[in-house]
Amino acid sequence: ERMRQAGLAADVKTLFNEPTLAALAARVGLGRREAEVPANRIPADCARLTPEMLPLVELPQPALDRLAAGVPGGDGNVQDIYPLSPLQQGILYHHLAAEAGDPYLLQVLLGLSDRAGLDAFAAGLQQVVDRHDILRSAVAWEGLDEPVQIVWRQAPLSVTEWMLDPAAGDIGRQLRELHDPRQYRLRLEQAPLLRLACAWDEAAGHWAVLLMFHHLVMDHTTLEVLLHELRACLEGRGEALPEAVPYRNYVAQVRQGLSEAEHEAFFRGMLAGVTEATLPFGLSDVRGDGSDIEEARLAVAPALCRRVRAQAQRLGVSAASLYHLAWAHVLARTAGQDEVVLGTVLLGRLQGGAGA
């Protein structure tokens, strides 16, 4: 990002491929082309949306009218409409395929000392939502050739207060159970795709607050940004935050990148020799809907962590690559196969553009 601000262009792939500063310097700017993102053409006082206002998606007027009618406030509350990124398309597929609940509904449980703190938290979170178009986005797919996301200008945050019985057990646990992703879903057509649920916990002497958000609009990196900005807003520093980078820029970059055919050709070549799935102990669907899965977490000792990083540095690879190799060995032993297939999902921030 600092290179970009200094006018030195290199994507993230180049950064990782070149082992020395000299090699990186020789590559800076070679074959580099910043994606050209067409401007949003919807005026702030728009009375009726028209297809030519949407440079990132093609929608006929009847479909556009139907989409605007589904937004509170109609056309005037629509800031932008554009397609989903490839990762979002996959998440939407799993949302629609799920018979109950939603595998991509995520939660964070918090404790806030008093009602004033709860109100301030909700107000600060609304400020962050107001800053970012992705946090004011809803998704539509019915009757369309491809799904789109609709950015609302105003998307009030929903806060639900529950009166829970302490005799029924821990208040935080009750909140989680009421919104268990195995049964509970968010309506993707309703922005923002964040919700707050809260209940007073008499035993703990604080408000238990459940922040729910959908992976369509937030990942771990986004959550860190949200909490950083929320703290700034709560401390009265919201005005000093840098201008938010529109998600439409990322969507435009992705759509100007490799074609679907090139992606398919890559994976066909990569997986050409695979004849069977990598199934530990030969078992599939071993836990059905996942409700009975037990997890064990083991922290890596600091000394071993330092050794792993030192070894990765000697080999010129990332520590993550070593962990992938170790995991592949585990899968090979438990599946009885010499060749195993595993994957890591990454959001494509590889262009290294503004805000990456």
Side-chain angles (χ1 to χ4, degrees):
E1 176 68 8
R2 297 212 308 272
M3 285 174 60
R4 190 194 64 78
Q5 292 171 3
L8 303 172
D11 59 23
V12 178
K13 183 177 181 181
T14 301
L15 185 69
F16 282 117
N17 277 347
E18 304 303 338
T20 66
L21 282 173
L24 175 61
R27 297 282 303 166
V28 166
L30 295 179
R32 174 74 172 147
R33 183 179 66 86
E34 286 281 350
E36 296 181 7
V37 181
N40 182 354
R41 300 171 190 156
I42 302 177
D45 57 351
C46 179
R48 191 189 186 202
L49 297 167
T50 57
E52 60 271 14
M53 295 178 181
L54 308 173
L56 296 180
V57 67
E58 293 185 10
L59 287 170
Q61 190 66 55
L64 201 48
D65 292 340
R66 191 171 68 251
L67 292 176
V71 176
D75 298 67
N77 196 29
V78 176
Q79 176 183 314
D80 207 349
I81 302 177
Y82 42 82
L84 276 61
S85 69
L87 186 59
Q88 286 179 308
Q89 290 174 352
I91 292 172
L92 175 61
Y93 169 81
H94 287 287
H95 171 87
L96 297 175
E99 295 181 0
D102 192 326
Y104 284 108
L105 177 60
L106 307 175
Q107 302 176 343
V108 177
L109 185 64
L110 309 162
L112 297 171
S113 57
D114 53 32
R115 183 71 204 205
L118 172 60
D119 293 342
F121 181 87
L125 189 56
Q126 183 69 62
Q127 279 184 261
V128 178
V129 169
D130 293 344
R131 280 176 43 78
H132 294 277
D133 61 346
I134 187 63
L135 299 183
R136 288 178 279 106
S137 296
V139 180
W141 59 90
E142 295 286 355
L144 302 177
D145 292 337
E146 68 170 328
V148 296
Q149 45 198 327
I150 308 170
V151 184
W152 298 9
R153 295 187 186 278
Q154 302 293 329
L157 181 68
S158 170
V159 182
T160 305
E161 183 177 338
W162 292 83
M163 302 293 290
L164 301 178
D165 183 3
D170 179 75
I171 297 298
R173 180 182 57 77
Q174 290 189 60
L175 271 180
R176 283 190 179 277
E177 289 176 350
L178 283 166
H179 305 90
D180 189 331
R182 287 170 294 189
Q183 289 87 38
Y184 184 80
R185 294 165 72 92
L186 294 183
R187 287 190 67 245
L188 301 187
E189 304 93 328
Q190 179 76 37
L193 294 181
L194 295 84
R195 300 285 189 279
L196 281 181
C198 59
W200 175 251
D201 188 338
E202 187 66 42
H206 68 209
W207 285 90
V209 181
L210 189 66
L211 170 60
M212 294 168 281
F213 55 92
H214 203 281
H215 200 26
L216 268 167
V217 299
M218 284 181 62
D219 61 6
H220 183 76
T221 299
T222 320
L223 178 61
E224 289 184 356
V225 172
L226 181 144
L227 294 176
H228 167 75
E229 293 193 359
L230 176 59
R231 178 181 292 275
C233 292
L234 292 176
E235 294 175 353
R237 298 182 289 107
E239 297 298 323
L241 290 170
E243 186 176 352
V245 179
Y247 193 69
R248 72 191 311 275
N249 293 7
Y250 169 67
V251 171
Q253 287 176 344
V254 169
R255 294 179 77 83
Q256 292 178 32
L258 295 178
S259 67
E260 289 293 319
E262 289 172 293
H263 283 295
E264 184 172 336
F266 171 83
F267 281 104
R268 284 191 180 280
M270 185 69 72
L271 303 174
V274 177
T275 57
E276 58 180 315
T278 303
L279 298 176
F281 310 108
L283 300 174
S284 64
D285 296 327
V286 66
R287 290 296 183 187
D289 65 356
S291 58
D292 294 326
I293 287 178
E294 296 180 9
E295 291 187 5
R297 294 175 181 265
L298 180 65
V300 178
L304 177 56
C305 186
R306 287 192 292 271
R307 288 171 57 201
V308 168
R309 292 188 181 281
Q311 181 70 357
Q313 203 165 23
R314 279 194 295 271
L315 294 172
V317 300
S318 68
S321 296
L322 286 187
Y323 276 103
H324 279 80
L325 177 61
W327 182 238
H329 277 295
V330 172
L331 291 176
R333 300 294 189 276
T334 57
Q337 295 176 218
D338 292 330
E339 295 189 10
V340 301
V341 177
L342 65 152
T344 296
V345 178
L346 299 171
L347 180 61
R349 294 185 174 96
L350 298 183
Q351 293 92 349

